[in-house]
Amino acid sequence: MKTRIHVDGVTSSCVAKPGCTYRLIVKAADNRQDPNSFIQLIRFEQKKKERRCEIGKINTFKGSSSGIEQLVDYQAKRYGESSYLLSIDPGPGEYGVLQSNPESKDEKALMVYCFTVE
């Protein structure tokens, strides 16, 4: 069984140029958590009329995986009292910032912010 995120459209309307280091500010309840525990930067696979990313897989005989091959490294530091400043250097492609709320009662809630690097 696979768990995937599907986003309509082949590309994002938010477009960045390649060859630059980008900084993104991600708001959180506070910045006392390890940002890697609830913020992930992923690279989408483009298929027909959508973008998708496998975020987990369970195999009866081989165990499970978390889709780590589509994760993109980032550097994070605290920003203000309740945000993180992410620094990334992405190559061309479709990306998404996945943010879950570790303090939320509904831990399944997931926000996806998409962007394209040409």
Side-chain angles (χ1 to χ4, degrees):
M1 177 184 346
K2 295 179 182 181
T3 303
R4 290 187 179 144
I5 293 175
H6 293 261
V7 178
D8 288 336
V10 180
T11 62
S12 172
S13 60
C14 181
V15 180
K17 295 182 180 182
C20 298
T21 298
Y22 287 95
R23 293 177 293 197
L24 305 171
I25 296 174
V26 178
K27 184 146 176 60
D30 57 53
N31 55 14
R32 293 177 289 157
Q33 306 282 335
D34 175 5
N36 290 305
S37 68
F38 67 98
I39 301 170
Q40 293 179 321
L41 180 61
I42 58 158
R43 184 171 179 150
F44 285 110
E45 173 185 12
Q46 293 173 283
K47 291 286 185 181
K48 297 181 184 179
K49 296 181 180 182
E50 69 179 12
R51 292 160 277 167
R52 68 183 187 185
C53 177
E54 184 178 299
I55 59 171
K57 179 169 55 174
I58 298 174
N59 185 316
T60 304
F61 301 107
K62 295 183 181 178
S64 64
S65 69
S66 61
I68 59 172
E69 61 277 353
Q70 294 171 311
L71 290 179
V72 178
D73 290 333
Y74 63 84
Q75 301 297 317
K77 47 184 177 176
R78 291 182 174 104
Y79 184 82
E81 294 180 12
S82 61
S83 299
Y84 291 93
L85 179 64
L86 308 184
S87 295
I88 59 172
D89 190 15
E94 297 295 321
Y95 296 89
V97 177
L98 306 181
Q99 180 182 10
S100 61
N101 185 351
E103 296 181 52
S104 175
K105 291 180 183 178
D106 181 8
E107 62 187 32
K108 297 175 197 165
L110 182 67
M111 301 296 296
V112 182
Y113 302 96
C114 301
F115 64 97
T116 299
V117 177
E118 293 184 327

